[in-house]
Amino acid sequence: MTSPVPDATPRVTILIYQSYLPFQGRYPRVSGQAEILQRHGYDVEVLACDREARHPVDESVEGIRVKRIPIKSGEMLGPIRQLIPLLLFFFRATWRILRERPDVLICHNLDVVPIGCVVRCLSRTRVFFDAHEPNYYGLWPEKWRLFHWGLTLSEKLMARMMHGITVTNNYQVQKYRGFGVRHVALIGNYARPDFGVDAIPDEKRERETVTFGRLGTIYPGTGFEQMVQAFEKVQQDRPQARLLVAGRVVDKYRDRFEQIIAPIADRIERIGAYSADQMPELYRKLDVSLMIYPRNAWFRHITPTKYYDSLANGVPVIMTDIGGIGDEIQHEQCGIVVDENDIDGIADAMRLLVDEPTRRLAMSQQALEATRTSYSWDGMERDYVAFIADVSGHLPERPLPTNTPQDPPPQTTNEPAGAQS
């Protein structure tokens, strides 16, 4: 990498095939990166796809300019039904980006990387790929497995065309380096400072009930059924246990969702879609986060944002070992690792944290300490800005804030930037 050349105000376009709404799961990562770059002197614009075709075409969201291309689509439709809307977005977004010629284009997720490849070939824009998911086709039904080889080859070829790739865990670092990508940086899904707390609220030390909770979009195959089964067992002998479920239920899963919760409908607090700025309020209600994900092709290597959000709010976790997080939980002493197929084991872990409030609160304190040390937002911010500036060659002339140390740029060839403990 060469040293970045100071620009007056480098222009950055962040591209995403979602509507860019505060309740969507990817919003915290995308908005967090947008705010970081804007705070450090870049001129940032988000170009999104309004898949509901009913949101403002041009607006400001938390101080970030957002342009939306309205294309009616849906979610979890499969590759065939999603193809036409994706192609329409491809052509309209590509034309717009080539017309405006930003200095930097950041493609969030694989579905918009083909646009980045075209922009790379036809302009001098520096193109980045932010890979949220380790294995993008893990949720596809078995009948589409035959296409995986070709799609993996396509991903490899497109990834090698990117100037730089940012990822969420070490598995992805090794994956893209194995593809031959030179500049790969690990930028963790850490919680934004305004989404957490500095100390455990006194009310959590005083209340007699213990509330377990799951936050995030609810869809098939996410371990939701196992969580409810374990809670039913705990409720039989621990009536002080409560369950809170917050998040949007996808349309195709709504009927099944109602069937699952029917036996505990009077013992569960249901909250629908919520915006990112509501998370501290929701976590204040929780004593323990439940993240019972299956270790399948989709979840096996994922590092969920909700893990870091929970810790930032002083909420210990009961969680399956995905994305290498099991070792981290044990090292940080901020929760209990369980097997998603062992319902009795999950229930026993829940009972333990009901029966031993001192241990539960100690884990809460450890969660906050992990956020301050191992999962520091400030450290991640420095790494991210340094990586974008060095790989793109564009550095704003405006100096960095005086309270932000200017550390050396993250290593992009040997060790991942922002590596987790």
Side-chain angles (χ1 to χ4, degrees):
M1 291 184 293
T2 59
S3 299
V5 178
D7 292 350
T9 308
R11 294 180 301 120
V12 176
T13 294
I14 294 178
L15 183 65
I16 183 169
Y17 187 59
Q18 277 192 333
S19 302
Y20 194 73
L21 301 172
F23 63 80
Q24 291 175 327
R26 292 169 183 160
Y27 179 85
R29 182 172 178 88
V30 182
S31 64
Q33 292 181 4
E35 290 178 19
I36 285 172
L37 292 175
Q38 184 157 286
R39 186 162 54 247
H40 285 264
Y42 292 86
D43 179 17
V44 179
E45 176 181 284
V46 172
L47 181 58
C49 179
D50 179 6
R51 294 164 69 169
E52 295 79 30
R54 59 183 174 85
H55 303 291
V57 174
D58 187 349
E59 71 170 336
S60 176
V61 179
E62 295 187 321
I64 302 296
R65 291 196 322 277
V66 180
K67 309 285 187 181
R68 295 189 180 92
I69 298 175
I71 297 176
K72 186 70 174 178
S73 180
E75 57 186 352
M76 304 185 74
L77 298 178
I80 299 300
R81 286 184 292 171
Q82 196 66 265
L83 182 60
I84 292 178
L86 187 57
L87 286 174
L88 288 173
F89 183 71
F90 173 89
F91 287 113
R92 294 179 64 181
T94 301
W95 177 84
R96 183 173 192 141
I97 294 166
L98 289 175
R99 183 185 63 180
E100 297 183 353
R101 302 291 175 115
D103 298 300
V104 176
L105 174 66
I106 301 174
C107 301
H108 273 268
N109 268 341
L110 188 63
D111 42 16
V112 295
V113 168
I115 298 173
C117 292
V118 174
V119 172
R120 161 103 198 238
C121 292
L122 299 180
S123 74
R124 300 180 66 180
T125 298
R126 306 292 283 184
V127 183
F128 292 79
F129 167 30
D130 188 85
H132 295 220
E133 317 296 352
N135 293 307
Y136 278 93
Y137 311 106
L139 279 178
W140 281 21
E142 194 64 34
K143 64 182 179 181
W144 297 109
R145 295 289 177 184
L146 293 176
F147 294 93
H148 279 206
W149 181 85
L151 290 168
T152 301
L153 177 60
S154 298
E155 181 183 1
K156 179 178 180 179
L157 295 174
M158 290 189 295
R160 293 174 68 171
M161 292 183 67
M162 300 293 101
H163 291 100
I165 296 180
T166 50
V167 299
T168 64
N169 60 35
N170 280 303
Y171 168 82
Q172 293 173 287
V173 171
Q174 299 306 316
K175 171 184 173 179
Y176 288 110
R177 286 191 181 146
F179 285 176
V181 179
R182 181 182 176 190
H183 300 306
V184 183
L186 196 163
I187 305 298
N189 275 326
Y190 306 154
R192 289 163 47 171
D194 54 330
F195 286 178
V197 298
D198 295 324
I200 306 301
D202 289 338
E203 64 193 70
K204 291 194 176 186
R205 305 176 187 275
E206 299 167 356
R207 59 194 181 203
E208 297 180 357
T209 58
V210 178
T211 299
F212 297 88
R214 182 196 188 280
L215 273 61
T217 304
I218 301 170
Y219 54 93
T222 58
F224 184 77
E225 297 184 34
Q226 291 92 328
M227 179 194 74
V228 172
Q229 290 171 15
F231 177 74
E232 285 189 85
K233 290 178 174 290
V234 172
Q235 257 281 313
Q236 293 173 5
D237 49 30
R238 304 293 192 281
Q240 67 270 45
R242 300 287 185 270
L243 182 64
L244 182 149
V245 176
R248 183 174 58 92
V249 182
V250 300
D251 292 340
K252 66 183 296 183
Y253 193 58
R254 195 172 300 279
D255 291 342
R256 179 58 184 152
F257 171 81
E258 296 295 341
Q259 293 175 1
I260 294 170
I261 67 170
I264 58 169
D266 59 336
R267 290 161 283 165
I268 181 174
E269 181 178 357
R270 298 171 54 180
I271 298 173
Y274 58 89
S275 62
D277 59 3
Q278 292 177 281
M279 286 197 296
E281 176 187 348
L282 293 172
Y283 279 113
R284 194 178 186 94
K285 296 183 176 184
L286 298 188
D287 295 292
V288 182
S289 277
L290 296 175
M291 287 181 270
I292 315 300
Y293 298 110
R295 286 168 290 179
N296 55 24
W298 175 252
F299 283 107
R300 186 179 303 123
H301 300 293
I302 280 179
T303 49
T305 304
K306 298 299 180 290
Y307 168 68
Y308 302 108
D309 292 339
S310 296
L311 269 54
N313 286 275
V315 179
V317 299
I318 294 177
M319 185 173 179
T320 43
D321 184 9
I322 60 172
I325 289 179
D327 290 340
E328 295 184 19
I329 292 173
Q330 294 174 349
H331 173 73
E332 304 292 349
Q333 300 180 37
C334 60
I336 301 174
V337 181
V338 295
D339 182 337
E340 75 274 17
N341 297 311
D342 183 4
I343 305 300
D344 288 334
I346 298 169
D348 286 342
M350 295 170 70
R351 290 189 184 98
L352 178 65
L353 296 188
V354 171
D355 295 344
E356 299 189 23
T358 301
R359 176 180 291 196
R360 187 177 71 245
L361 290 170
M363 288 181 176
S364 296
Q365 199 60 52
Q366 285 297 117
L368 289 181
E369 183 61 25
T371 300
R372 286 189 284 264
T373 55
S374 303
Y375 311 129
S376 164
W377 175 273
D378 290 340
M380 181 274 289
E381 178 170 335
R382 293 193 298 271
D383 286 346
Y384 184 63
V385 173
F387 181 72
I388 295 296
D390 274 353
V391 177
S392 72
H394 293 287
L395 178 67
E397 287 182 353
R398 192 181 78 193
L400 299 180
T402 56
N403 63 343
T404 303
Q406 298 186 46
D407 288 353
Q411 177 62 254
T412 62
T413 53
N414 296 317
E415 294 296 330
Q420 304 164 12
S421 300

